[in-house]
């Protein structure tokens, strides 16, 4: 006697009845790139369908997200001026800070997550303060704390430090607590690999380093045991949610984090994943919807509670159609 596995695959209704992995629109976070200026809605050439936009274009984007039921956004900023210490990152009236305020006026129930980093704001494109040896860890974390505090004052719901400096979660938690933001959550980019999948993002955020790379501070994908250590450190320092980035090539890491820690885990499906699928779909080589949904379910199956994805609006539409 053999088991007839196909019995549970026979019809659409049966397949729906027995499924045990689900995606909800509430799981999705949509990244938005805000650029200083007016009248800007510029498509990112390496990310078709994604835009850099000025604040006067933001309300229309929020209307679309609200209509689709996408309730969470992740903000990145592109300032007019950059310098060696990225001062616009912690400017209380900077592009992200003003973006937070505008979102909260227009859509007060939208969960606003802010990326806390310096790469979009520094003239050299690195994620912190540099000298001849590279990025200076202990100096940089003081700046990360200043950035997080400015986002908190603007009304952010969650701050998400992405710089990968050691000790930055403790510095951020301390400055938030000292200034009355004890209940503001930290979503840490705890597991962030030095990855070639970030290429299109660097065009989107104008954040490519002018020299060197980020391998001194982002993680090496050939070293597998430090993911758990990175997450543990961040949780001990005060992180509430942890991110694994990129997502698709690191499903094993998502599962390892999920099995080890009882905290919400985020899969960040990064720009390179988006662009590869878009390129294939635009050339007629793949079925975009089915590829996107398959990989998104894979992230959920691996253990992700939350998925940051440039396909969030598309997934929301497709989920609605499938109902």
């Amino acid at each position: 006697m053999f088991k007839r596995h196909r019995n549970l695959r026979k019809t659409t209704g049966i397949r729906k009845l027995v499924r045990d992995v689900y995606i909800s629109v509430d799981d999705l976070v949509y990244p938005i790139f805000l650029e200083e200026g007016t009248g800007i809605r510029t498509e990112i050439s390496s990310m078709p369908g994604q835009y850099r936009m000025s604040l006067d274009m933001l309300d229309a984007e929020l209307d679309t997200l609200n209509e689709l039921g996408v309730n969470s956004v992740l903000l990145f900023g592109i300032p007019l001026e950059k310098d060696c210490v990225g001062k616009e990152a912690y400017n209380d009236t900077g592009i992200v800070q003003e973006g937070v305020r505008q979102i909260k006026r227009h859509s007060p129930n939208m969960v606003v997550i802010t990326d806390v980093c310096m790469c979009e704001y520094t003239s050299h494109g690195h994620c912190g303060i540099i000298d001849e040896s590279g990025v200076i860890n202990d100096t940089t974390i003081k700046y990360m704390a200043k950035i997080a505090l400015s986002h908190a004052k603007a009304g952010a719901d969650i701050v998400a430090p992405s710089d990968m400096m050691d000790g930055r979660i403790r510095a951020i938690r301390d400055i938030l607590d000292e200034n009355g933001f004890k209940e503001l959550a930290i979503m840490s980019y705890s597991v962030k690999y030095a990855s070639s999948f970030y290429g299109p993002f660097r065009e989107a955020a104008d954040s490519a380093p002018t020299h060197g790379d980020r391998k001194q501070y982002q993680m090496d994908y050939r070293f597998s045991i430090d993911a758990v250590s990175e997450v543990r450190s961040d949780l001990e320092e005060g992180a509430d949610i942890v991110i694994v980035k990129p997502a698709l090539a690191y499903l094993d890491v998502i599962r390892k984090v999920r099995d080890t820690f009882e905290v919400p885990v985020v899969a960040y499906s990064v720009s390179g994943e988006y662009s590869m699928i878009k390129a294939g779909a635009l050339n007629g080589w793949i079925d975009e919807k089915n590829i996107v949904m398959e990989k998104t379910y894979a992230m959920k199956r691996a253990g992700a509670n939350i998925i940051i994805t440039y396909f969030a609006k598309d997934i929301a539409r497709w989920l609605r159609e499938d109902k």
Side-chain angles (χ1 to χ4, degrees):
M1 183 63 179
F2 56 87
K3 181 172 176 61
R4 294 189 181 275
H5 297 279
R6 291 177 56 191
N7 290 353
L8 300 183
R9 305 168 191 158
K10 187 174 182 180
T11 67
T12 299
I14 292 174
R15 291 191 295 273
K16 287 183 177 181
L17 182 67
V18 301
R19 73 174 60 169
D20 63 353
V21 183
Y22 296 90
I23 298 170
S24 166
V25 68
D26 294 329
D27 304 331
L28 306 176
V29 178
Y30 186 61
I32 295 177
F33 298 97
L34 297 176
E35 183 173 1
E36 281 195 275
T38 57
I40 300 168
R41 194 172 187 271
T42 306
E43 188 171 33
I44 301 160
S45 62
S46 59
M47 299 177 69
Q50 301 300 308
Y51 297 84
R52 287 164 54 155
M53 67 187 72
S54 49
L55 292 178
D56 55 323
M57 300 292 176
L58 179 56
D59 286 357
E61 186 75 4
L62 296 172
D63 289 339
T64 299
L65 293 170
N66 288 329
E67 193 278 327
L68 291 169
V70 177
N71 301 313
S72 303
V73 294
L74 173 62
L75 300 187
F76 297 93
I78 301 98
L80 285 174
E81 296 182 13
K82 303 187 180 198
D83 59 35
C84 63
V85 295
K87 68 177 183 296
E88 286 302 310
Y90 47 89
N91 180 351
D92 285 342
T93 58
I95 182 63
V96 164
Q97 291 83 348
E98 291 300 315
V100 172
R101 294 184 181 99
Q102 183 167 329
I103 294 171
K104 285 302 181 181
R105 286 193 298 269
H106 184 277
S107 302
N109 293 324
M110 184 72 72
V111 177
V112 181
I113 308 164
T114 57
D115 182 79
V116 177
C117 198
M118 300 181 75
C119 59
E120 302 107 299
Y121 301 90
T122 54
S123 51
H124 47 73
H126 278 286
C127 298
I129 307 301
I130 64 171
D131 63 12
E132 63 280 358
S133 66
V135 176
I136 312 167
N137 189 96
D138 293 5
T139 301
T140 296
I141 62 175
K142 297 174 184 177
Y143 284 82
M144 292 300 124
K146 289 172 62 176
I147 298 167
L149 180 59
S150 73
H151 292 178
K153 289 177 177 178
D157 296 293
I158 300 173
V159 292
S162 62
D163 55 295
M164 291 302 291
M165 299 298 115
D166 295 329
R168 89 271 202 212
I169 303 302
R170 172 54 59 201
I172 290 170
R173 186 73 271 163
D174 285 348
I175 200 170
L176 291 177
D177 291 355
E178 290 164 5
N179 285 273
F181 296 102
K182 292 183 178 181
E183 297 181 358
L184 186 71
I186 299 175
M187 176 188 285
S188 176
Y189 288 70
S190 296
V191 182
K192 181 178 180 180
Y193 288 92
S195 173
S196 296
F197 283 97
Y198 303 150
F201 176 90
R202 291 171 183 170
E203 177 199 348
D206 191 22
S207 62
T210 57
H211 63 280
D213 56 37
R214 297 180 176 135
K215 292 181 180 179
Q216 280 189 332
Y217 44 100
Q218 294 179 359
M219 295 164 61
D220 187 342
Y221 57 80
R222 297 163 298 186
F223 183 38
S224 65
I225 65 174
D226 63 339
V228 168
S229 179
E230 285 277 6
V231 172
R232 181 174 288 111
S233 292
D234 285 358
L235 293 176
E236 289 174 351
E237 292 175 22
D240 302 285
I241 306 169
V242 298
I243 299 174
V244 177
K245 179 183 181 184
L248 195 57
Y250 299 88
L251 296 177
D252 60 317
V253 179
I254 294 172
R255 172 47 59 187
K256 184 185 292 186
V257 173
R258 159 57 54 236
D259 288 344
T260 307
F261 302 100
E262 296 180 352
V263 295
V265 178
V266 183
Y268 193 147
S269 185
V270 298
S271 60
E273 298 172 39
Y274 176 89
S275 296
M276 288 191 297
I277 292 173
K278 275 293 182 182
L282 290 170
N283 280 284
W285 298 333
I286 59 173
D287 181 319
E288 181 177 351
K289 174 184 175 181
N290 285 330
I291 289 281
V292 171
M293 295 308 290
E294 183 175 345
K295 78 180 186 70
T296 306
Y297 273 101
M299 295 169 203
K300 291 291 287 187
R301 194 174 61 247
N305 305 94
I306 302 162
I307 298 172
I308 301 171
T309 173
Y310 302 97
F311 283 111
K313 292 190 291 186
D314 301 289
I315 293 170
R317 292 187 185 100
W318 295 330
L319 289 173
R320 183 174 294 179
E321 290 170 4
D322 288 346
K323 286 184 178 179

